[in-house]
Amino acid sequence: MTDTPVKLDGTVSEIVFYAEDSGYTVAEIAGDRLFTAVGAMPKLAVGDSVSLHGQWSTHPVYGEQFKVGSVELHGPESLDAIERYLASGALKGIGPALAKRLTARFGIETLEVLRTKPRLAATVKGISARLARQIETQLAEEKGEQTLALLLMPAGISYSRIKRIYRELGIGAAEAVRQDPWIIMRLVSGIGFETANKVAAALGFSDDHPARIRSAYWQLIYSALGRGHTFVAKASLFRELSQRLSLAEEVLSHALADGVEGVREIELEGRTVCSFVSVTDMETDIARRIRLKLDGRQRHCDTAYVTAWAESAGMELSDEQTAAVAMALNHDFSVITGGPGTGKTTIIKALVELAGRQKLKMQLAAPTGRAARRLSEAAGREAMTLHRLLNVMPDDDILADATPASTPVRSDLLIIDECSMIDLNMFWRLLAALSTHTAVVLVGDADQLPSIGPGQVLRDILACPDVPRTELTRIYRQSEDNLIVLNAHRLNHGEPLIYAQKPDSPFLVTFLDDDDAMVSTLERMLTGPMRTHYHISDLRDVQILAPMHRGSAGVQNLNRRIQTLFHGGKAEGLTFGSIVFAVGDKVIQTRNNYDLLWQNTLTGEPGSGIMNGETGIIDAIDSDQRQVAVCFEHDRLTWLRDEDLPDLDLAYAMTIHKSQGSEYDTVCLVLGHAPPDFLTRNLIYTAFTRARTRLILFTGRRRFERVLKSGRIAARSTHLGRLLNEARC
């Protein structure tokens, strides 16, 4: 088939397949001849007249197809096409018999009557006044969504995002976009400034249009929020904006004179900074609520009481741990922080048992499902995710409207583990849900990577000296000989690591400067010693971590290489983009999807929602329907359709950021070439602390020496720490 772009005109004769979320359509089109058209299109109906722009292609199973790049939708034009459209069931309440009566009465004007003259339509037998109004609304909504799709699809915007925009703006969505094309990037996460710019350019907006300048300004602040900062210096914003738009600062100042909706300027330490109103409001409210907790009641549980209880319960606690337990029981708000092997889990167990003895109502929670399961196993008591505790759904949009939790927390004691992972929005929701009498104990490792979302909540809280805290420093005997734990602490303190290059050592290092050689050595390790010496025959039981997605030692290439090893050759299955999904593959969900239905394979109970970061194994593939069955987290089986597959990736290897909150028996850490500022000490520290039993490190010697000498990750620009300390005055 030729790759030459062509235009084909025709009438939709059958909708073979339509994906509601993505707009992916397979349709039979009657033109000069009958042909199959495939691709993302506005919602079509039988009888629609269309002009399709695209290319011919040959599918290995389905044969000749026309791959659609763009669509001109004319709607049903002939009397026969109008009747077929109405008879197809496209409009609720109209079937073949009623379609025939309508077209017999109104002829070629039938659709116009249904759209604009519901009273006249109601004079036809079988159409009540109520049904006529419902049909008028259906046609208006269908026309509105189609018009918006035709406006935005040429810019490469997916149909699922177009539907989200339409849900936000309603029937007048297309007109709203024509007035301000950049509104789409503020409404839907994932649509950037450049994409909105394409729409604006097609609509004739100039480069110095005030709406373009304000939107670019907004986008720069939003991008900083995505990197974890809660504010940006105004001076640096103006410099970057001028460079990005190639406009003089006077032009920018004029366009921004009246400010930008949703953005607030704050005077901070002699400079002007910019933030979103909702973000500064959250930081302010968090500081206020923490202060209320700090000023609240104090109990009188001394260390002697804890010591006596521990002896009677047969639990061995050090002085440091005893003090931590007493502190947590004495205050309404406190923090326990420390690295691996410092006894945090023992303290949680002690708190759980003591709370039970004192008949306190207690709850345990963690930011992710995996972290909650680990906490539950360690404490011997149910732990839940923060989302489940608060009955809120995660939101991928970092600037989504923050709504308080629908479920208040009324327990006497709430212990939250892995607190370094909690972002600003979730922590605000948590504090807003707490009853006045609930004591909160935050447990975590402040030296790990901060949350993926905005803020550095745990670090900011620890920056306030008024917050009761125990910083654990002692490594206990079960960990003091563990080189993984010891080297994690030495790395954190910038000290030389201890190497014991023996096969049975829990910490092994292979120094190689070439990334390709590093990957080849990893492959030999997985197919050789990993099986023969460590008796790990299933490659899926080894978790490979890397800092970067791209590059020969990046996650994408590592996944392809290890997948080939796992299958003993090229994987065969369902191809989606550059990825081939095959039965048995280890996969990861990369975006929250609350609509995915699943069934518990152990109990048979149904449920919904697969969250970002959850891993699973592909159980089955239906190539004809382009569906993949995945068993997530060992017990939840779900089918992912074609439109869900963009959110699925291979997981033999994953980024260090994705691994936060998880632990694996065996970790292979591949530190290939990366920007010097990216390979920071606490990034590698986080990777080290993911390994329970064995850590095998592949890296360049000089590259790793730079990591040891580097400081921790660059501090985020946040306001919470200052607000907490200002409230002391």
Side-chain angles (χ1 to χ4, degrees):
M1 289 283 105
T2 177
D3 289 335
T4 306
V6 295
K7 176 187 175 186
L8 299 177
D9 297 320
T11 302
V12 179
S13 61
E14 182 183 357
I15 304 296
V16 179
F17 175 79
Y18 172 70
E20 188 73 26
D21 290 342
S22 65
Y24 183 82
T25 305
V26 179
E28 296 294 323
I29 309 294
D32 294 337
R33 62 184 176 90
L34 190 68
F35 64 92
T36 301
V38 299
M41 307 180 213
K43 192 171 185 178
L44 304 177
V46 171
D48 278 345
S49 295
V50 293
S51 296
L52 307 176
H53 300 262
Q55 300 169 327
W56 288 105
S57 66
T58 301
H59 190 278
V61 176
Y62 302 110
E64 183 182 63
Q65 295 179 332
F66 188 73
K67 295 182 71 172
V68 176
S70 62
V71 180
E72 296 173 40
L73 182 61
H74 311 301
E77 294 181 333
S78 68
L79 188 59
D80 178 62
I82 292 171
E83 184 177 334
R84 282 192 289 122
Y85 164 68
L86 295 175
S88 70
L91 296 177
K92 293 178 182 177
I94 299 180
L98 192 49
K100 188 176 287 293
R101 286 200 298 273
L102 282 165
T103 52
R105 173 78 179 275
F106 300 118
I108 201 73
E109 299 296 322
T110 299
L111 289 179
E112 185 63 22
V113 169
L114 291 173
R115 283 193 187 101
T116 62
K117 300 174 182 177
R119 288 186 179 179
L120 182 58
T123 62
V124 174
K125 182 182 178 182
I127 296 188
S128 63
R130 181 181 178 185
L131 177 57
R133 290 193 299 272
Q134 289 174 345
I135 292 169
E136 178 189 29
T137 301
Q138 285 183 67
L139 285 168
E141 289 179 346
E142 181 182 273
K143 182 70 173 175
E145 189 172 316
Q146 287 178 338
T147 303
L148 182 67
L150 292 170
L151 183 65
L152 299 182
M153 274 187 162
I157 299 172
S158 70
Y159 201 67
S160 59
R161 285 175 173 155
I162 290 171
K163 289 175 73 67
R164 287 183 63 187
I165 295 168
Y166 185 77
R167 283 197 296 269
E168 292 285 342
L169 297 176
I171 291 173
E175 184 56 33
V177 172
R178 289 190 183 100
Q179 294 295 320
D180 179 6
W182 296 278
I183 193 174
I184 62 178
M185 74 180 195
R186 299 192 292 273
L187 288 175
V188 177
S189 176
I191 297 179
F193 178 75
E194 296 306 325
T195 299
N197 241 15
K198 289 180 185 176
V199 178
L203 292 170
F205 280 78
S206 64
D207 286 348
D208 62 352
H209 195 283
R212 180 173 185 259
I213 294 170
R214 287 192 293 270
S215 298
Y217 192 71
W218 184 96
Q219 180 66 31
L220 288 175
I221 302 172
Y222 185 81
S223 296
L225 193 67
R227 297 192 301 273
H229 305 292
T230 63
F231 66 80
V232 191
K234 185 176 180 180
S236 66
L237 273 176
F238 262 71
R239 285 194 299 271
E240 189 172 351
L241 189 65
S242 180
Q243 293 171 0
R244 184 174 186 179
L245 301 183
S246 299
L247 295 172
E249 291 201 11
E250 310 85 72
V251 177
L252 304 180
S253 297
H254 179 73
L256 298 169
D258 295 328
V260 175
E261 185 179 359
V263 173
R264 175 181 289 155
E265 293 187 0
I266 306 168
E267 293 304 315
L268 191 63
E269 296 177 349
R271 59 179 180 154
T272 304
V273 302
C274 302
S275 179
F276 291 111
V277 171
S278 60
V279 173
T280 58
D281 285 349
M282 272 191 279
E283 287 187 300
T284 302
D285 197 50
I286 287 171
R288 180 184 67 83
R289 291 178 184 275
I290 290 176
R291 272 287 150 199
L292 288 174
K293 286 288 182 188
L294 294 178
D295 295 339
R297 58 183 177 166
Q298 291 195 7
R299 302 165 188 82
H300 300 286
C301 173
D302 58 22
T303 55
Y305 170 79
V306 176
T307 300
W309 167 82
E311 289 176 355
S312 66
M315 181 176 285
E316 186 177 344
L317 296 177
S318 68
D319 291 345
E320 190 177 55
Q321 290 172 321
T322 300
V325 172
M327 174 207 68
L329 292 173
N330 275 331
H331 298 278
D332 274 354
F333 190 87
S334 61
V335 180
I336 298 170
T337 181
T342 55
K344 296 190 296 293
T345 300
T346 300
I347 293 170
I348 291 174
K349 287 179 181 177
L351 285 170
V352 168
E353 293 192 26
L354 259 174
R357 178 173 176 172
Q358 296 181 4
K359 307 243 186 286
L360 298 177
K361 183 182 177 183
M362 184 189 56
Q363 289 178 291
L364 304 177
T368 67
R370 284 195 161 194
R373 277 189 289 276
R374 285 176 49 211
L375 177 58
S376 181
E377 291 166 3
R381 183 186 178 100
E382 182 193 14
M384 60 185 76
T385 64
L386 287 173
H387 299 96
R388 184 179 159 208
L389 173 74
L390 302 175
N391 194 22
V392 297
M393 295 297 283
D395 200 306
D396 293 313
D397 185 356
I398 54 178
L399 200 57
D401 288 339
T403 53
S406 58
T407 303
V409 178
R410 303 191 188 281
S411 53
D412 299 308
L413 179 64
L414 174 63
I415 301 173
I416 306 172
D417 199 12
E418 295 285 0
C419 285
S420 62
M421 298 176 65
I422 304 177
D423 66 18
L424 194 72
N425 188 309
M426 178 52 68
F427 198 68
W428 175 78
R429 291 183 178 197
L430 171 68
L431 292 184
L434 294 179
S435 64
T436 54
H437 74 274
T438 300
V440 182
V441 182
L442 304 180
V443 183
D445 185 348
D447 292 318
Q448 287 193 26
L449 290 170
S451 60
I452 293 175
Q456 48 181 15
V457 173
L458 183 57
R459 291 183 189 175
D460 283 345
I461 289 172
L462 289 171
C464 176
D466 291 349
V467 174
R469 89 280 309 272
T470 300
E471 297 181 11
L472 305 169
T473 57
R474 177 183 165 187
I475 303 174
Y476 290 88
R477 63 170 174 262
Q478 63 267 35
S479 300
E480 61 189 4
D481 295 325
N482 186 328
L483 278 185
I484 300 173
V485 172
L486 288 176
N487 281 332
H489 286 276
R490 294 179 75 86
L491 171 72
N492 201 29
H493 297 131
E495 299 171 359
L497 303 193
I498 299 171
Y499 301 116
Q501 300 294 78
K502 300 178 293 185
D504 291 326
S505 172
F507 186 93
L508 292 170
V509 183
T510 298
F511 288 115
L512 292 165
D513 289 326
D514 181 73
D515 284 7
D516 290 326
M518 209 179 290
V519 176
S520 298
T521 304
L522 168 66
E523 289 176 320
R524 290 194 296 273
M525 165 68 77
L526 293 173
T527 56
M530 198 64 72
R531 292 177 175 173
T532 59
H533 187 78
Y534 301 118
H535 307 294
I536 300 176
S537 57
D538 191 337
L539 297 182
R540 297 172 301 187
D541 292 336
V542 178
Q543 186 58 59
I544 299 161
L545 301 180
M548 305 286 288
H549 280 284
R550 295 182 173 83
S552 59
V555 165
Q556 292 175 356
N557 185 52
L558 286 168
N559 268 321
R560 285 191 291 266
R561 300 276 289 263
I562 307 309
Q563 182 190 46
T564 301
L565 282 183
F566 176 75
H567 291 287
K570 185 178 179 181
E572 294 183 1
L574 180 63
T575 300
F576 188 88
S578 61
I579 302 174
V580 177
F581 293 114
V583 172
D585 275 340
K586 185 178 180 180
V587 292
I588 186 170
Q589 179 76 7
T590 60
R591 188 181 67 87
N592 296 324
N593 188 331
Y594 325 117
D595 300 324
L596 280 178
L597 302 177
W598 50 261
Q599 185 175 42
N600 189 297
T601 57
L602 303 176
T603 65
E605 294 180 3
S608 65
I610 300 295
M611 299 298 109
N612 182 4
E614 294 191 346
T615 59
I617 303 294
I618 294 180
D619 187 70
I621 290 176
D622 184 340
S623 297
D624 291 339
Q625 296 296 319
R626 292 187 62 79
Q627 296 185 109
V628 174
V630 179
C631 187
F632 281 100
E633 303 297 340
H634 307 294
D635 60 10
R636 285 173 294 145
L637 184 65
T638 183
W639 279 94
L640 288 85
R641 300 168 297 172
D642 189 76
E643 60 266 27
D644 302 318
L645 294 182
D647 304 326
L648 194 69
D649 202 355
L650 296 174
Y652 299 98
M654 68 175 69
T655 63
I656 297 167
H657 284 84
K658 277 288 183 193
S659 72
Q660 279 184 273
S662 300
E663 278 190 348
Y664 314 94
D665 280 332
T666 300
V667 170
C668 289
L669 175 58
V670 183
L671 299 181
H673 285 286
D677 291 342
F678 192 80
L679 289 181
T680 55
R681 192 185 297 166
N682 70 332
L683 177 78
I684 312 307
Y685 172 79
T686 300
F688 278 19
T689 56
R690 299 310 92 204
R692 272 193 298 257
T693 307
R694 185 174 295 104
L695 174 66
I696 303 171
L697 172 62
F698 300 83
T699 186
R701 187 180 295 274
R702 278 182 289 186
R703 187 180 313 157
F704 194 63
E705 287 174 354
R706 285 198 301 269
V707 172
L708 290 174
K709 293 176 182 176
S710 73
R712 292 185 178 87
I713 199 166
R716 291 179 171 182
S717 299
T718 61
H719 199 198
L720 176 59
R722 294 180 181 87
L723 289 168
L724 278 170
N725 283 304
E726 286 172 4
R728 302 173 65 205
C729 303

